[in-house]
Amino acid sequence: GAGVSQSPSNKVTEKGKDVELRCDPISGHTALYWYRQSLGQGLEFLIYFQGNSAPDKSGLPSDRFSAERTGGSVSTLTIQRTQQEDSAVYLCASSLAHNGGNTIYFGEGSWLTVV
Amino acid sequence: AQRVTQPEKLLSVFKGAPVELKCNYSYSGSPELFWYVQYSRQRLQLLLRHISRESIKGFTADLNKGETSFHLKKPFAQEEDSAMYYCALTTGANNLFFGTGTRLTVIP
């Protein structure tokens, strides 16, 4: 596709429910990143994938958060038993490879509201 | 550990005035630094990177290793510069670490 695609663009869910957020990276990009953007918190790194493997999961805020990537392409971020503090914009990004020299391209984000 | 600090959450300047968005970093090695920008209702995008030494949309940023700073500057602000600006750092082998961002408002 032309850019990083994320769905849903908006999600309202009840506290305690599980949610899945999807990211479709730019074709050919092997590196994929998830960030969380909260008011006043800036951009918080969650996890990155190189191919299908996730060498760095250090940013996941709790064990309620998990992510997977299959076929070196689409990734899903799952939040179990959502809490109100999970409300944020979840941004996905991709780059040609996990290398500081490559530009990272962002999706438009999935706005999650937990009520 | 690496860290990026943007001390100003909000910055307002008048059109035509100079603007400087501050960014300081901490990292013991040689980082690569970036500025990303998010205009209203648009996705986050790369503005410039220090290794390119280029000027984008009139903005420049110089890496000052002595002061560990990478401030973003523009001599004459325009209304279309109003946006959220993020300073970011990568150590090459690691991920892109972002500051908390500065919202710039250019007053007509």
Side-chain angles (χ1 to χ4, degrees), chain A residues 30-34 45-60 65-70 72 74-77 98, chain B residues 93 95:
Chain A
T30 60
L32 185 146
Y33 311 80
W34 283 99
F45 164 75
L46 298 179
I47 189 171
Y48 93 87
F49 290 89
Q50 182 60 46
N52 289 336
S53 64
D56 188 350
K57 302 180 182 179
S58 63
L60 293 176
F65 287 72
S66 63
E68 64 175 18
R69 189 180 187 195
T70 55
V74 172
S75 175
T76 54
L77 176 69
H98 184 58
Chain B
N95 301 300

Side-chain angles (χ1 to χ4, degrees), chain A residues 4 35 37 48 98 101 103 106, chain B residues 38 43 49 86 92-93 95-96:
Chain A
V4 177
Y35 288 87
Q37 187 177 31
Y48 93 87
H98 184 58
T103 300
F106 283 85
Chain B
Q38 189 169 29
R43 62 186 69 193
R49 55 205 304 168
Y86 291 94
N95 301 300
L96 202 57

Side-chain angles (χ1 to χ4, degrees), chain B residues 10 18 46 73 81 87 105:
Chain B
L10 302 170
L46 178 67
K73 300 177 184 179
D81 297 328
C87 183
T105 302

Side-chain angles (χ1 to χ4, degrees), chain B residues 10-59:
Chain B
L10 302 170
L11 181 64
S12 295
V13 298
F14 285 100
K15 178 182 172 182
V19 61
E20 181 180 70
L21 292 92
K22 292 185 168 51
C23 172
N24 287 88
Y25 68 91
S26 61
Y27 178 60
S28 57
S30 294
E32 186 171 348
L33 284 130
F34 306 79
W35 277 98
Y36 276 77
V37 61
Q38 189 169 29
Y39 300 103
S40 179
R41 288 184 289 277
Q42 293 187 30
R43 62 186 69 193
L44 191 63
Q45 58 187 290
L46 178 67
L47 179 63
L48 56 80
R49 55 205 304 168
H50 91 266
I51 58 168
S52 301
R53 294 188 164 274
E54 57 195 345
S55 173
I56 304 293
K57 298 184 179 182
F59 284 97

